[in-house]
Amino acid sequence: MFKPHYVVFSCLLFVILYFATSSCTIDKTDYEDELTTEIPEYIDYEEAVKLSIGNYNISIQALNGTLYTGYNDIRLTVTNSSTNQEVSDVDVTLLPIKTNAINETSSGPHQYHLNYNNENGYYSGYVVFPNKSDVANHWQFYIGITDVYETLTASQDINVAEQSNKNLNMTTFLGHDNDMYYIALVAPQSPKIAENKLVAGIYKYNPPANTSTTFPDPEQFSYSEVENYTLKLDPRMPEPSMGNHSSPNNKDLIQEEDKLYHGVVNYTMTGNWTLNFILINQNGKIVKGTEVPTDFTPGIEGAKSELFIDILF
Amino acid sequence: MKHLFLLFFFWGCTLSAQNTKTKQDSITVLDAVELKTIAKSKLETDLKKSVTVDEFLASSNNISFIKRGGYAWEPLLNNMSTERSAITIDGMHVFGACTDKMDPITSYVESNNLSSITIKSGQEGGQQGATVAGSIDLKRKKTMFSDQETWKGAYQTGYEFNNQQFFNLGNVSFSNTKLAADGSISYRKAENYSDGNNDEVNHSQFKKFNTSLGFSYKTSALSAVKIDAIFDVAKDVGYSALPMDLWLSRALITSVSYKQLFEDKTIKLWDSKLYYNTVEHYMDDTTRPENLVHMDMPGWTTTYGLLSKVKLQKDNLSSEIQLNAYDNLSIAEMRMYPQDYSETTMFAYSWPWVTTRYVGLSLNNALDISYNSQLNFGGSLGVHYNYSKYVEFNWIFHPGAPQEKTRLLPSLFANYNVQLNDFDFSIGGGYGHRAPSVSEGYGYYIYNSFDRYDYIGNPDLKNEVSYEANASASYKTEKIKIEGNLNYFYIDNYIIGEILSMGSPMNYQSVGVKGYTSLDYATLFNAALNLEYAITNNLHLNGTVTYAKGQDQDQGNLPFIRPLSYLATLHYQYKNLNFQTSINGDLEQVNYSPQYGEDQTPGYTIWNFSTDYTFRIKNKKTVFQVGVENILNTYYSTYADWGNIPRMGRNVFTSLKINL
């Protein structure tokens, strides 16, 4: 017997199932993936440079086993090649030097005397490379080791790669006090749409009092961490359609015990951001930087401070 | 003032009784539990036979609408927005997936799959979940088991000339002793409508497809299982008042329930339901080339729930105990595209994966104190839990805000009702809490095109606490019925957006950032007066006047409070012909709220007319209707028209309904 209701209800059921299971809709964004595709985050230290000085084998480790432009945290181990034992009782100095095509030498902010870190068993320090290695610019590490008997030195060619993570960008500028300054971002490597602890190293070049006759003379390549400055922060999105968008609850960077400058930056969404800075010295004088307008100006790219670093995540 | 109302409330509770009368018919008593309920059983209005769910709701005194276009209006119950009311489908909680409220739950059903809409004002609606304003329960059609194999159907079609809306609605049902099944299918398509100046209102078109299916199977003489599903798709829907439209929204609403009846016991019924629903909503701004930024704004909600209720009856007391539990996950994203498309897109969540869980137990009692008086009383206690997966979004404006938040939501109400001769009086009160909504608690740069601010949620918001009092009086004879209703809400910690001094807008149209905060308190007063008068047997007059006032703690006006409004309908029947004419309108909005983005809306009056004819085609009852809305082609917009978009001008509508 023909039962019309079966046909009707089967049709309806089919229609519901068809639409409910057809997948013409948009997938949800994988948020973790969204944050990491733009910026790989490196957490592992791997050997970037190795060399031997006399009886000592030296291994220098950096994140991802690569030295990049900008700030590099350095771990160095010294091994006595005859005993194959790591040593911790020697003084280690590190001097990065760049030679350009016309044989001029220069360097970047760095820690010359490395500290031995008892807890972790390595010498630690940092180097800020203002430029990468290329045909015209040739970087070398000059390493000195002083044990109870003597001071040994050696040099090693190194390769400085371009830092592709804009969150670790740096900037170099001449302050109003005519000193040469360097600001290099240290953290966060991989920012989130959140409150991010913003860490930067701020350094200045100490011009030598005398010209030198010996090479390499660390006095000619001397940098120091600036003390008790304040780095005022105003993060904004430069994209014209974002109309000079900013975020609330940011904190200016001030120096902490590790000599680095710490503050807070809030990123409200992913994309391009400009960190507008004003650097103020210990006496409250502006070294560099200008206030940026706070107006919301849709369609117009926001004005930048004369001191800024662009980031992207 | 607050204490006064508490007093009022307790007085309402303790009013005592004089006489006693037992009602024998348990069904009547069970129905009495839903007293004070405005249940509209036929989904049609005085004027129009074929209505959308929105048009139907609009015919209730308690409901007004925020309109953002021609489709998916946001129902305001007692002049309060949807956060404050519990809107459910057969008791099931469904959550819209649009941060801009483009998809209230009422947009996911269709008039031909509903049997009625139950509106309860204030805490009496607390049975459906924590609420301040009340509850709106959309009841799906049910088919009863029948001794004989029965096969029914209805087909409805119509055309509306103003927006070239063409609709086709079909229903079928089948029943025998063991099985009852029903299904519905519908499709509506409308183009842009024109306003009273005959100008086309761009982006007011819509397309909607809806289908539903229900199967009941009798497992024993007194028990049955039922499976229900509603599936709704809206596509290419314009929102003239918003800077974007809808590309696609879909909802799948399913449930399985088990019902057990009991004979000769105190417990009369046990009805349990497990449900699941999922909603997806994808906005589209590619239709708006004037936009500076192209933006994707998809949203999703998924809800699982359990409803279980028992109805008890002993002597003159009948009770309903209901367990209400659900788990909802709401996600909304925004991705902005830079003008140079090769640059990286900009991404953020506007709902950072917010989970809401609620478990509540409610008790409703109806006590027949005497043959002419009843006391309805009850309450509920709910536990409300929120979890924000990406709480770091919320920390940007509220550093250190907790990722999880648990709230206790109590509710109480009482209502005393007495009939004296032709008069009927009732007085009642209520007290209840509600938790902030997902947007209010965890929303992140949600652009509100009405006041043009980006809104930020605050996870630490306090519960909104409502103290309410209501009263009604009616006089009824054969010829005339006059009814007056009043209610007053005193709401502590009233949640509203206020301008933040920090942060800057993210959406290019906005002018600033507002954060949801709590006012100390706000008050709302609603009054309605109804008149039904049978001039002759064939000539009926209906009239309604409503008035409302909402104020914040500084006596400033709250937004979206309806000005004095009126509706009068004259109905004449001649044999199989019906004629209806009505006028309705609002007076000038006096108490508007510039502080919350409102401007003053002038008054308007609309005149409508319709006629219908009932006849039989091969013994099938058929109704044909033709009518005109806004006969004078008045150009107007109401106080709640988002961005003052004009309403529809003259509209000729026709409909044909055949009962198969």
Side-chain angles (χ1 to χ4, degrees), chain B residues 122-184:
Chain B
Q123 294 308 323
E124 285 182 58
Q127 194 180 13
Q128 306 296 358
T131 179
V132 167
S135 69
I136 301 174
D137 190 33
L138 308 155
K139 297 227 186 281
R140 215 183 88 71
K141 268 194 180 135
K142 287 187 186 78
T143 304
M144 303 293 171
F145 299 107
S146 59
D147 295 336
Q148 297 226 314
E149 209 169 91
T150 314
W151 166 252
K152 279 185 189 162
Y155 169 69
Q156 230 174 322
T157 183
Y159 186 76
E160 304 206 357
F161 284 79
N162 185 299
N163 58 351
Q164 298 155 51
Q165 183 183 165
F166 183 51
F167 58 86
N168 284 285
L169 316 171
N171 288 54
V172 279
S173 71
F174 167 79
S175 62
N176 60 22
T177 48
K178 276 281 179 200
L179 186 73
D182 54 74
S184 74

Side-chain angles (χ1 to χ4, degrees), chain A residues 186-257:
Chain A
V186 178
Q189 272 193 65
S190 177
K192 295 198 159 47
I193 304 172
E195 290 179 297
N196 293 277
K197 287 185 174 147
L198 183 66
V199 183
I202 309 178
Y203 312 96
K204 73 178 191 183
Y205 176 57
N206 305 315
N210 310 302
T211 49
S212 171
T213 47
T214 58
F215 184 85
D217 174 11
E219 289 298 313
Q220 302 291 319
F221 307 101
S222 168
Y223 298 82
S224 55
E225 294 118 0
V226 301
E227 303 279 346
N228 297 318
Y229 280 36
T230 302
L231 189 60
K232 288 185 72 176
L233 170 67
D234 188 354
R236 289 184 181 271
M237 292 188 89
E239 165 66 29
S241 61
M242 294 309 297
N244 201 31
H245 174 71
S246 184
S247 60
N249 293 327
N250 302 299
K251 290 200 182 100
D252 297 338
L253 287 80
I254 51 171
Q255 196 173 26
E256 292 185 3
E257 264 179 28

Side-chain angles (χ1 to χ4, degrees), chain B residues 26 37 48 62 149 161 212 260 273 401 403 458 546 586:
Chain B
S26 66
T37 295
K48 226 171 163 181
N62 300 54
E149 209 169 91
F161 284 79
S212 71
Q260 173 82 54
K273 179 187 283 181
Q403 184 168 26
N458 178 359
T546 69
D586 290 350

Side-chain angles (χ1 to χ4, degrees), chain A residues 1-205:
Chain A
M1 189 187 114
F2 175 69
K3 293 193 172 178
H5 51 275
Y6 287 165
V7 178
V8 172
F9 288 115
S10 308
C11 287
L12 279 172
L13 191 65
F14 175 77
V15 168
I16 287 192
L17 286 176
Y18 171 76
F19 281 102
T21 52
S22 61
S23 56
C24 63
T25 49
I26 300 169
D27 284 333
K28 296 181 186 85
T29 299
D30 181 334
Y31 183 52
E32 279 75 14
D33 199 44
E34 178 76 21
L35 290 180
T36 48
T37 43
E38 291 298 329
I39 345 134
E41 185 174 5
Y42 298 123
I43 45 168
D44 292 326
Y45 284 80
E46 290 165 37
E47 187 174 79
V49 181
K50 70 175 176 183
L51 69 156
S52 298
I53 309 177
N55 223 10
Y56 298 109
N57 290 334
I58 291 172
S59 166
I60 299 174
Q61 286 139 46
L63 284 173
N64 195 34
T66 312
L67 299 166
Y68 292 103
T69 51
Y71 184 91
N72 294 267
D73 190 36
I74 297 289
R75 293 174 178 179
L76 184 146
T77 51
V78 182
T79 314
N80 187 322
S81 58
S82 50
T83 62
N84 221 10
Q85 294 276 310
E86 280 192 15
V87 294
S88 59
D89 55 353
V90 293
D91 282 337
V92 181
T93 60
L94 175 78
L95 178 59
I97 287 179
K98 185 191 81 174
T99 311
N100 69 9
I102 52 168
N103 264 340
E104 288 168 336
T105 53
S106 63
S107 182
H110 59 274
Q111 186 173 339
Y112 183 62
H113 289 282
L114 301 190
N115 303 326
Y116 190 74
N117 184 326
N118 271 317
E119 215 171 293
N120 298 312
Y122 52 73
Y123 291 86
S124 68
Y126 66 84
V127 185
V128 177
F129 294 106
N131 338 80
K132 63 172 182 171
S133 302
D134 55 29
V135 194
N137 295 293
H138 177 66
W139 281 98
Q140 283 176 298
F141 271 159
Y142 286 83
I143 292 170
I145 290 207
T146 308
D147 59 19
V148 287
Y149 308 108
E150 58 190 333
T151 295
L152 303 161
T153 58
S155 70
Q156 172 71 36
D157 289 354
I158 55 167
N159 182 53
V160 178
E162 180 81 38
Q163 177 58 266
S164 59
N165 183 351
K166 285 185 144 194
N167 302 292
L168 300 175
N169 266 356
M170 66 167 291
T171 181
T172 310
F173 57 93
L174 194 65
H176 299 319
D177 53 6
N178 277 326
D179 281 336
M180 194 69 191
Y181 286 89
Y182 299 79
I183 299 178
L185 299 180
V186 178
Q189 272 193 65
S190 177
K192 295 198 159 47
I193 304 172
E195 290 179 297
N196 293 277
K197 287 185 174 147
L198 183 66
V199 183
I202 309 178
Y203 312 96
K204 73 178 191 183
Y205 176 57

